[in-house]
Amino acid sequence: MSSSRPIVIFDTTLRDGEQSPGCSMNLSEKLEVAQALVDLGVDVIEAGFPIASPGDFEAVEAIAKTVSGATICGLARCNEKDIDRAADALGHAADARIHVFLATSAIHREFKLKMDKSEIIERAVAGVKRARNRCDNIEFSPEDAARTELDFLCEVVEAAIGAGATTVNIPDTVGYATPAHFGNVIATLKNRVPNIDQAVISVHCHNDLGLAVANSLAAVEAGAGQIECTINGLGERAGNCSLEEVVMALRTRHDVYHADTRINTPRLVPTSRLVSGITGMLVQRNKAIVGRNAFAHEAGIHQDGMLKERSTYEIMRPEDVGFTQTDLVLGKHSGRAALADRAKALGFHLSGEQLDNVFNAFKKLADKKKEVYDGDIAALIEQGAAVVADQWQLQSYEVQASTDGAPRATITLSRGSEEKSATVNEGDGPLDALFHAIEEITGVAIIVRDFRVQSATRGKDAQGESVIEAEYNGQLVRGRGVSTDTVEAAVRAFLNAVNRVAVGQARDPKTRPEAV
Ligand code: KIV
Ligand code: ZN
């Protein structure tokens, strides 16, 4: 039997993932995701960047106070204020880590930091020491490591470990590395840095060339012991290494990597759905592991092979990643217990009030639709996840449109005990008219940049799932809505985006911290 070594899974969905445009989450959503990450079995949760905004500080502090079962990490640039702020936010964590970063590549040194090599080493050492005074568990990242001169990278890493870093993370910040190149970077650090045994080598790969997972795996082969990744591969630009893909690659090809993680893989699909529901960022159908088509066999020759012996065309079982094998059908006579049971099988743990809300929505849906499939239930629960506190709710709408003349739309919304209606007689079509009416009531005007509707399940009466990407003051906001009526799904998605703006959830790019 081959020996196996443990790989630490460091999830940064709540930090790097949340930095992706339109993916910002509110406090209760972040707490829900953090708990889901613990249930998934991640080792370290990067909960946020406390200096970035009061909201980020509050979220890291709340997660540190209430979430146990994983190390809670906060990010800081290599300066005193950032480090102190991160340490303060993490003060109540049972198990905390401060993650300090400083760019090291020539291009960042010259143009962004205007610092020479010796100043970088000095700053890195001072930052790690300051963080170490507040916490025993310190991660140091030489930002843009993949484009840093290897000799200098070795020097910085040695100095950071000497100053007390317990993990040294090697980021491919701009997604420039290739597998052989990146594997060589890790092997060189292992061979050349004299005190490398005193720290865990971590990797943090971005996906600009679609190589984040491949680069992370090459790093593991070369000796890395921690992978930084995100649910659904969320993250800056093209995203980060996808947690579900890298974990299943390690597991499925154990013969190659001889490495294990603590990830409870049947939680992958439910966690992916939760994050997609909260952020409004749909998972592409053919996405490896968690995409709806990831296990769908269409070609007759494949189906024939599968019926004879699954392993002819299947390298993983759908149930191993959390797809339920049966697509049990519920109907209008199904009760709360049956719904709760189905939700549980799909990986959702519904609390009393949450279960009440989903059950009410389920009853309405079952009245319209004879058969309610797993996908319908997941969509209803995810829609619940997209609900924003203090939001406007849709009460009713009416719309008339034709090829000649302007559309006419009337909409009624409520917020708490307040109810308001608006009628508009303008717009490029029925949806545009409905959106104008929503803007008139809420006073929030957003510009729709992208709009999609897809079916949540099969059949003619399938629910439509709509996602809207809109712009508000230069910021991207997403909204998501589900209904058997595609117009209503679009209205709900638009309203969800407007609600996010109304509660101040769209992140203002001007609040981003400066480089140093
Ligand atoms: O991509 C990057 O370099 C980062 C660092 C903060 C680790 O996200
Ligand atoms: Zn990153």
Side-chain angles (χ1 to χ4, degrees):
M1 236 181 71
S2 62
S3 66
S4 195
R5 69 192 176 96
I7 300 293
V8 175
I9 294 296
F10 175 115
D11 180 278
T12 182
T13 307
L14 292 171
R15 200 278 297 168
D16 218 324
E18 211 240 356
Q19 271 172 231
S20 25
C23 284
S24 57
M25 304 176 213
N26 65 30
L27 179 60
S28 70
E29 290 167 342
K30 286 183 183 176
L31 283 165
E32 201 175 344
V33 170
Q35 189 53 53
L37 293 172
V38 170
D39 296 344
L40 179 64
V42 311
D43 300 287
V44 186
I45 296 173
E46 188 161 53
F49 190 4
I51 197 90
S53 70
D56 273 54
F57 180 91
E58 200 192 341
V60 176
E61 189 180 44
I63 291 169
K65 267 188 191 156
T66 58
V67 177
S68 59
T71 303
I72 308 300
C73 175
L75 182 68
R77 287 165 302 183
C78 212
N79 67 54
E80 295 180 357
K81 262 194 180 165
D82 274 43
I83 292 167
D84 293 351
R85 195 88 175 126
D88 291 345
L90 292 166
H92 293 281
D95 185 1
R97 172 182 295 186
I98 302 177
H99 177 187
V100 182
F101 74 100
L102 177 66
T104 51
S105 63
I107 198 159
H108 280 240
R109 292 195 310 264
E110 186 181 344
F111 296 106
K112 187 176 90 174
L113 300 175
K114 304 196 188 323
M115 288 164 84
D116 66 22
K117 285 182 177 172
S118 62
E119 287 169 311
I120 294 282
I121 301 235
E122 213 175 289
R123 175 78 80 93
V125 167
V128 171
K129 282 191 174 156
R130 188 170 186 96
R132 191 64 203 251
N133 276 336
R134 301 283 303 268
C135 182
D136 286 341
N137 188 341
I138 303 301
E139 174 166 323
F140 175 75
S141 289
E143 190 191 5
D144 204 18
R147 291 193 300 171
T148 299
E149 307 90 313
L150 255 181
D151 288 344
F152 182 53
L153 186 63
C154 289
E155 256 185 80
V156 177
V157 164
E158 183 181 349
I161 297 173
T166 43
T167 297
V168 280
N169 178 46
I170 307 304
D172 180 19
T173 304
V174 291
Y176 178 71
T178 59
H181 156 212
F182 203 55
N184 180 51
V185 171
I186 303 304
T188 307
L189 290 171
K190 271 200 89 98
N191 292 333
R192 283 217 227 137
V193 175
N195 54 2
I196 198 73
D197 293 346
Q198 293 163 34
V200 173
I201 303 181
S202 166
V203 287
H204 175 110
C205 296
H206 278 271
N207 205 29
D208 300 66
L209 293 174
L211 292 171
V213 171
N215 289 338
S216 305
L217 291 170
V220 167
E221 277 191 283
Q226 172 177 292
I227 300 175
E228 302 202 352
C229 45
T230 57
I231 301 296
N232 299 335
L234 287 185
E236 284 274 11
R237 307 179 309 277
N240 287 61
C241 171
S242 140
L243 182 149
E244 50 282 354
E245 292 177 21
V246 83
V247 163
M248 288 312 288
L250 289 175
R251 182 181 145 147
T252 308
R253 296 310 308 272
H254 191 270
D255 57 323
V256 174
Y257 299 107
H258 310 290
D260 291 309
T261 70
R262 286 179 49 248
I263 296 299
N264 176 13
T265 62
R267 299 287 315 160
L268 288 171
V269 167
T271 314
S272 158
R273 283 181 175 154
L274 176 77
V275 170
S276 168
I278 284 177
T279 57
M281 189 82 125
L282 287 182
V283 172
Q284 81 195 51
R285 280 180 187 243
N286 63 338
K287 161 104 168 58
I289 316 297
V290 292
R292 220 176 281 172
N293 288 357
F295 292 88
H297 298 272
E298 190 69 28
I301 196 166
H302 288 205
Q303 289 174 351
D304 178 58
M306 285 282 294
L307 288 173
K308 288 176 176 147
E309 167 56 45
R310 281 175 75 156
S311 60
T312 49
Y313 286 102
E314 207 167 75
I315 58 165
M316 300 166 274
R317 295 177 311 167
E319 54 271 34
D320 291 342
V321 302
F323 281 112
T324 44
Q325 237 179 345
T326 52
D327 198 0
L328 281 188
V329 177
L330 298 184
K332 66 177 176 188
H333 301 299
S334 310
R336 271 170 69 96
L339 175 72
D341 215 49
R342 214 52 227 131
K344 196 165 163 215
L346 291 169
F348 298 102
H349 300 281
L350 299 179
S351 63
E353 196 192 341
Q354 224 182 350
L355 178 59
D356 287 346
N357 294 339
V358 176
F359 186 61
N360 289 339
F362 162 74
K363 279 288 172 192
K364 280 189 198 147
L365 179 64
D367 267 342
K368 293 188 196 159
K369 204 172 176 282
K370 261 210 326 256
E371 295 175 322
V372 179
Y373 298 107
D374 287 349
D376 291 313
I377 296 169
L380 286 180
I381 298 171
E382 284 159 16
Q383 174 168 267
V387 162
V388 179
D390 302 327
Q391 65 175 353
W392 287 98
Q393 308 254 22
L394 173 68
Q395 292 305 327
S396 62
Y397 79 85
E398 205 184 306
V399 68
Q400 290 157 10
S402 66
T403 43
D404 318 305
R408 182 185 163 81
T410 300
I411 199 152
T412 303
L413 305 180
S414 65
R415 187 171 58 176
S417 56
E418 187 185 7
E419 190 165 288
K420 281 189 174 176
S421 296
T423 298
V424 298
N425 234 327
E426 52 166 330
D428 289 337
L431 286 180
D432 200 32
L434 285 161
F435 295 169
H436 281 314
I438 292 177
E439 287 174 344
E440 199 173 305
I441 294 175
T442 61
V444 176
I446 57 177
I447 306 162
V448 176
R449 293 289 181 215
D450 194 14
F451 166 56
R452 275 162 288 156
V453 183
Q454 64 174 35
S455 67
T457 48
R458 56 185 123 119
K460 268 212 317 233
D461 61 352
Q463 291 193 94
E465 191 173 14
S466 171
V467 172
I468 275 176
E469 281 184 9
E471 202 182 303
Y472 177 76
N473 271 353
Q475 308 150 59
L476 182 70
V477 249
R478 276 200 185 80
R480 183 173 180 158
V482 181
S483 171
T484 45
D485 166 357
T486 49
V487 174
E488 186 181 323
V491 167
R492 288 188 181 281
F494 187 86
L495 193 55
N496 182 232
V498 163
N499 276 320
R500 285 180 187 274
V501 171
V503 298
Q505 206 180 317
R507 192 194 286 269
D508 183 346
K510 292 190 284 297
T511 63
R512 288 270 175 91
E514 293 299 316
V516 210

